[in-house]
Amino acid sequence: MVEYISKAFLVGFIAFLPVLEIYTAVPIGIGMGLDYFSTVVFSVIGNYAPVLLLNFGYERLNRIPKVQEWFAKLSSQRLKNWIDSYGIGFIVLGVPLIGVWPLTVTMKLFRMNSGLFLIYSFISVVLYSVAIAGIVHTGSDWLHIGK
């Protein structure tokens, strides 16, 4: 049980890290012997934690007048309208291309609706975690690894 918890924690921690994220967490979890479901769950938890951390951290920082003024200079109404129209596509494509850390910062600076962003980013993280697990499973079957 302790070994399982330590492996699960390690997978979640790797998924949390900005450079590694789910791309390495899922294969490492499977390689360490965690089942696919646990690997995906702990990868999603670890990879989604920065979204929550940065989202609520931004909200706290935005209460400071000088910071709020600075954030307002970084965005425009035109960008906000574009993000509101095409945000889900940008998020779904952005998670695998740039990762959740820069994506969250970008969405907050463009003032995307927080509720929509939290939902879309969660769906995207789950989809990519499952897809990576499927790719690893397919590859291991094809190469006859673990048989």
Side-chain angles (χ1 to χ4, degrees):
M1 184 62 157
V2 173
E3 183 179 348
Y4 176 83
I5 292 171
S6 64
K7 288 178 182 180
F9 178 78
L10 180 61
V11 167
F13 181 71
I14 291 170
F16 179 82
L17 295 174
V19 176
L20 301 176
E21 295 196 13
I22 57 177
Y23 315 109
T24 54
V26 172
I28 287 173
I30 293 167
M32 287 189 311
L34 284 176
D35 60 285
Y36 286 88
F37 180 77
S38 297
T39 299
V40 167
V41 167
F42 290 112
S43 293
V44 168
I45 291 169
N47 199 232
Y48 194 68
V51 173
L52 297 173
L53 177 75
L54 292 170
N55 185 61
F56 296 117
Y58 173 87
E59 298 300 329
R60 299 279 307 226
L61 279 174
N62 208 24
R63 292 181 189 163
I64 302 169
K66 284 280 191 197
V67 174
Q68 187 177 27
E69 183 181 311
W70 183 66
F71 283 160
K73 289 179 185 177
L74 294 174
S75 186
S76 71
Q77 189 60 39
R78 183 173 161 223
L79 284 174
K80 181 177 177 359
N81 292 340
W82 187 85
I83 290 298
D84 286 342
S85 298
Y86 304 106
I88 188 166
F90 187 73
I91 292 169
V92 170
L93 294 174
V95 166
L97 295 176
I98 64 174
V100 294
W101 287 84
L103 184 70
T104 303
V105 171
T106 303
M107 291 296 101
K108 292 312 291 181
L109 291 177
F110 289 160
R111 294 188 237 149
M112 183 179 189
N113 178 304
S114 289
L116 290 176
F117 175 71
L118 292 172
I119 292 167
Y120 295 159
S121 60
F122 181 77
I123 291 168
S124 184
V125 167
V126 169
L127 289 176
Y128 283 109
S129 294
V130 170
I132 292 168
I135 291 168
V136 169
H137 180 71
T138 303
S140 66
D141 277 354
W142 185 68
L143 295 172
H144 305 292
I145 296 174
K147 298 197 183 231

